[in-house]
Amino acid sequence: MRISEESIASLRNLFADSNLKVVVVSHTNPDGDAIGSSLALREILVGLGHEVTCVVPNKYPYFLDWMTGVENIAVFKTDSERVAAAVAAADIIICADMSRLSRLEQLSDVISANTTAKRVLIDHHLSPDETFDVMVSYPDSSSTAFLVYTLIVGMFGTEAISREMAEQLYVGMMTDTGNFSFSFLTPELYRAVAVLAETGIDIPQIHNNVYNSFTEGRARLFGYVINRKMKTLMKGTVAYMSLTEEEMRRFWFQQGDSEGFVNYPLTIKKMKMSAMFIETHDFIRVSLRSRGKYDVDVFARRYFNGGGHKNAAGGKSFLSMEETIRHYMEAVKEFAAEGGLS
Ligand code: 5GP
Ligand code: MN
């Protein structure tokens, strides 16, 4: 990944005016990359003298509560008036870690209502909407946080990276790369991590805060899901799991508790693809993971109105759980017949 001089120049121009009102918005069910990238953008822009509001459609998971600045994030679901006011007043709206406004669900209408703000995309998902004034879209970046890092350094040099920013960016890089184990682990990424480490961030502490801060209910739910709910297809090379609202209640489910479950079937050597179906009030949220050449972005777009990355994607189903699973089984069969799993 090489960020073009043009991207850097257009962002520099955009933020050269003083005292701009900026909204940084990220996707539904915000993860470590969404929150880390948003907070780091906020730090740098506040430092430049702008007024910045970070906005997300719904609450971030509780294992990110410790992050510096997280209390400034406006959650649309519980604070819609504050969000609407900030969006209406915005001169610039930055969409971070999301490629389509549809990823904002109901919040997308509020964003669309502001027709005068300049729109900026900073993202690493495939197939972005083409409606942005400035597009920083690099699907071969391992995280949005790495993009934000590269932009900040490109504009202001490594001295501009504060310790707080380093911590926020590290969370984004760490979570989106599965603690530096997925694809796009470039030498540049490790150089970036070296710069972050030089600010004095406590990497083992950050790791503990994010990965070892769950509830007992989550540990038990994990055991239950893997033992009782994981089913396999295609001679054990495709897996799926499901969670109903009733099951989640039984384990005192909190937002974020199922984070990472979908990856687990891929610890089985011959597994190619894994799916997780989570029931919500309005629909079933679909999470998909794969290894190597098997492309769940294609699968999610085709069968679940979604998308994402080649090895990590998501979507939605408006059918019942049973019908969703049946649809998945049919889809897997068709996908395999067309060579998608060979
Ligand atoms: P997760 O399974 O962790 O929720 O999401 C995995 C990846 O797929 C993320 O990069 C996420 O942004 C993307 N993704 C999840 N749900 C959707 C969706 O409904 N639509 C699209 N286009 N992408 C999604
Ligand atoms: Mn991301």
Side-chain angles (χ1 to χ4, degrees):
M1 179 203 81
R2 254 206 109 71
I3 289 205
S4 69
E5 286 302 319
E6 199 189 322
S7 294
I8 290 172
S10 45
L11 284 180
R12 201 188 268 125
N13 286 339
L14 199 60
F15 293 106
D17 285 347
S18 54
N19 216 358
L20 294 165
K21 290 189 166 57
V22 184
V23 163
V24 179
V25 58
S26 197
H27 60 80
T28 304
N29 291 344
D31 55 12
D33 192 28
I35 297 299
S37 300
S38 297
L39 292 177
L41 282 167
R42 182 173 184 278
E43 292 275 332
I44 192 80
L45 293 173
V46 166
L48 292 175
H50 304 305
E51 191 185 307
V52 185
T53 310
C54 291
V55 167
V56 287
N58 63 342
K59 183 85 167 61
Y60 43 85
Y62 62 91
F63 55 78
L64 300 178
D65 281 346
W66 61 276
M67 290 179 73
T68 308
V70 83
E71 66 285 354
N72 296 313
I73 294 179
V75 179
F76 179 63
K77 204 166 175 183
T78 48
D79 208 354
S80 53
E81 277 171 30
R82 180 174 162 218
V83 170
V87 172
D91 302 306
I92 298 176
I93 298 174
I94 303 178
C95 293
D97 197 40
M98 49 175 270
S99 58
R100 296 166 173 275
L101 282 188
S102 62
R103 287 285 280 129
L104 298 174
E105 298 180 357
Q106 285 93 322
L107 175 57
S108 70
D109 298 335
V110 176
I111 300 285
S112 305
N114 180 334
T115 52
T116 52
K118 281 255 163 51
R119 282 158 199 268
V120 180
L121 178 75
I122 302 178
D123 180 55
H124 69 135
H125 293 92
L126 296 159
S127 3
D129 282 339
E130 299 283 334
T131 53
F132 294 91
D133 299 296
V134 177
M135 297 244 305
V136 182
S137 165
Y138 289 87
D140 55 356
S141 174
S142 53
S143 60
T144 297
F146 179 51
L147 279 180
V148 171
Y149 169 86
T150 311
L151 289 171
I152 292 174
V153 171
M155 288 193 276
F156 310 108
T158 53
E159 306 71 40
I161 306 281
S162 67
R163 191 189 148 123
E164 286 71 33
M165 250 181 253
E167 202 169 71
Q168 293 152 349
L169 293 170
Y170 188 81
V171 167
M173 294 175 189
M174 175 183 81
T175 53
D176 256 32
T177 58
N179 200 21
F180 303 94
S181 67
F182 301 157
S183 38
F184 304 120
L185 299 176
T186 59
E188 290 74 25
L189 175 66
Y190 287 100
R191 283 190 199 104
V193 170
V195 171
L196 302 186
E198 267 172 359
T199 68
I201 57 169
D202 187 342
I203 289 176
Q205 183 65 48
I206 295 173
H207 186 278
N208 259 320
N209 287 347
V210 173
Y211 292 120
N212 301 325
S213 300
F214 294 114
T215 60
E216 181 179 333
R218 194 261 187 188
R220 296 194 185 283
L221 176 66
F222 180 59
Y224 169 76
V225 167
I226 295 301
N227 187 23
R228 305 276 297 279
K229 303 300 301 284
M230 185 176 79
K231 312 281 177 209
T232 62
L233 309 167
M234 311 298 283
K235 300 199 173 82
T237 61
V238 172
Y240 70 89
M241 299 167 289
S242 61
L243 270 180
T244 62
E245 288 189 293
E246 188 278 317
E247 288 168 315
M248 289 188 275
R249 267 196 301 275
R250 233 193 289 159
F251 291 90
W252 306 96
F253 188 88
Q254 295 179 53
Q255 167 81 32
D257 273 352
S258 60
E259 197 84 14
F261 287 8
V262 65
N263 294 306
Y264 207 77
L266 289 169
T267 61
I268 300 165
K269 193 167 184 181
K270 62 182 179 178
M271 198 60 72
K272 297 174 178 174
M273 180 168 119
S274 163
M276 178 78 176
F277 304 109
I278 296 185
E279 190 177 56
T280 70
H281 190 59
D282 308 309
F283 52 83
I284 291 172
R285 202 172 283 289
V286 182
S287 270
L288 295 155
R289 297 291 185 275
S290 63
R291 72 166 101 228
K293 62 183 177 178
Y294 310 109
D295 193 336
V296 286
D297 170 61
V298 169
F299 189 89
R301 277 192 278 135
R302 187 147 150 205
Y303 299 108
F304 289 105
N305 308 306
H309 313 278
K310 188 174 176 187
N311 296 138
K316 283 177 196 163
S317 164
F318 294 91
L319 305 170
S320 70
M321 186 60 89
E322 264 171 47
E323 289 166 327
T324 299
I325 290 172
R326 215 173 307 131
H327 173 67
Y328 176 71
M329 290 164 81
E330 290 300 316
V332 165
K333 222 183 277 172
E334 186 176 288
F335 197 59
E338 292 174 7
L341 292 171
S342 47

